[in-house]
Amino acid sequence: MASEFKKKAFWRAVVAEFLAMSLFIFISIGSALGFSFPVVGNKTSTRSQDNVKVSLAFGLSIATMAQSVGHISGAHLNPAVTLGLLLSCQISILKALMYIIAQCLGAVVATAILSGVTSSLPNNLLGLNSLSEGINAGQGLGIEIIATFQLVLCVLATTDRRRNDVSGSAPLAIGLSVALGHLLAIDYTGCGINPARSFGSALIASNFENHWIFWVGPIIGGASAALIYDFILAPRTSDLTDRMKVWTSGQVEEYDLEGDDMNSRVEMKPK
């Protein structure tokens, strides 16, 4: 871990996560807060939130940031994605920890800036995630688990270096997965699926009611997706020693196929 800590590439990746997360949060939550106030007759009325607009804003901003910094940091921009890639032995424990810190800091900074930009909005909760009326904690947790599961599964499958059938844009595919999760979850929980994004709003709005749901749900969903993909859907052969080397050194070679099809097991070889 000490050798990785000293590398410039490591710190460039951490900074990239912070900057990309800041832009992602500002753009996506900013789109949700950007209501117009048309005058109807002699009264001012607010327009209800457009779920499709917000979902597309989240998805397209993720796709844009992934295209922009994916070659530098991998553009995780989500602790649940980082956890999934950690369990999949694609990053070290140290890098995962630093990424999560950078993601949370980026979300806090962006939300703080938005707080100033949107200070004139009434009842401004800065995109705070909360349970909708009639949704209890267990139901909200289930929604967060499922929405995050499909996202992390998409990330793992789309970026799997063993595949040669992905001819489209990986960032766009992941962005559409984020949009899909929002189309599902906005009406139930406001759609967390990203603990750092939820943390930024909760901290600046000073409201942590049911906040645990937006950490536990994505963690369970992300971890489940990684374990199911790596051990059931597209298993790899690697003993605990090999995995420990990856988690501590952060260096991993391409996966070597033992067969010609995706059902074949593969060997993960740390450098």
Side-chain angles (χ1 to χ4, degrees):
M1 286 190 182
S3 60
E4 187 179 27
F5 194 79
K6 297 177 182 178
K7 293 181 179 179
K8 292 181 179 179
F10 175 87
W11 290 106
R12 280 197 295 267
V14 173
V15 171
E17 282 291 303
F18 169 78
L19 291 176
M21 188 70 179
S22 299
L23 287 171
F24 161 59
I25 293 298
F26 188 88
I27 294 169
S28 55
I29 296 183
S31 72
L33 298 179
F35 300 152
S36 63
F37 300 90
V39 176
V40 180
N42 293 322
K43 297 181 179 180
T44 299
S45 61
T46 59
R47 184 173 61 186
S48 60
Q49 177 172 289
D50 186 339
N51 286 357
V52 175
K53 167 197 167 186
V54 175
S55 299
L56 286 176
F58 272 87
L60 292 176
S61 58
I62 279 289
T64 302
M65 291 302 104
Q67 190 69 52
S68 301
V69 303
H71 61 297
I72 300 171
S73 69
H76 298 186
L77 309 181
N78 186 336
V81 171
T82 298
L83 175 63
L85 293 175
L86 174 64
L87 294 178
S88 186
C89 288
Q90 298 188 43
I91 58 173
S92 68
I93 294 174
L94 175 62
K95 179 173 280 190
L97 178 61
M98 294 303 298
Y99 271 21
I100 291 173
I101 292 174
Q103 291 157 5
C104 289
L105 286 176
V108 170
V109 169
T111 308
I113 296 173
L114 272 173
S115 178
V117 172
T118 62
S119 59
S120 61
L121 289 178
N123 303 317
N124 185 8
L125 293 178
L126 300 168
L128 180 72
N129 291 125
S130 61
L131 300 177
S132 298
E133 185 176 353
I135 301 297
N136 61 39
Q139 293 166 334
L141 181 65
I143 288 291
E144 288 293 312
I145 290 173
I146 293 172
T148 309
F149 179 90
Q150 64 85 28
L151 168 60
V152 177
L153 184 65
C154 177
V155 170
L156 292 171
T158 304
T159 60
D160 192 336
R161 290 170 288 182
R162 296 169 294 170
R163 296 183 63 178
N164 55 18
D165 62 320
V166 180
S167 57
S169 169
L172 180 58
I174 295 169
L176 290 175
S177 180
V178 171
L180 179 63
H182 280 76
L183 288 171
L184 164 68
I186 282 179
D187 288 330
Y188 298 94
T189 64
C191 190
I193 70 172
N194 187 329
R197 168 261 188 275
S198 300
F199 175 74
S201 296
L203 182 65
I204 302 302
S206 299
N207 187 336
F208 288 89
E209 183 179 1
N210 292 317
H211 184 65
W212 65 272
I213 292 173
F214 303 104
W215 279 90
V216 175
I219 286 173
I220 294 175
S224 300
L227 295 175
I228 289 174
Y229 187 81
D230 264 16
F231 291 98
I232 298 177
L233 299 180
R236 301 182 174 100
T237 58
S238 56
D239 57 30
L240 182 60
T241 302
D242 288 336
R243 289 180 173 270
M244 289 300 295
K245 288 179 181 178
V246 175
W247 284 332
T248 55
S249 70
Q251 296 176 322
V252 60
E253 291 180 349
E254 296 288 342
Y255 299 119
D256 298 323
L257 286 170
E258 290 181 348
D260 295 328
D261 56 59
M262 276 297 297
N263 293 324
S264 301
R265 296 179 68 84
V266 298
E267 185 68 27
M268 182 169 55
K269 297 180 179 179
K271 292 181 180 178

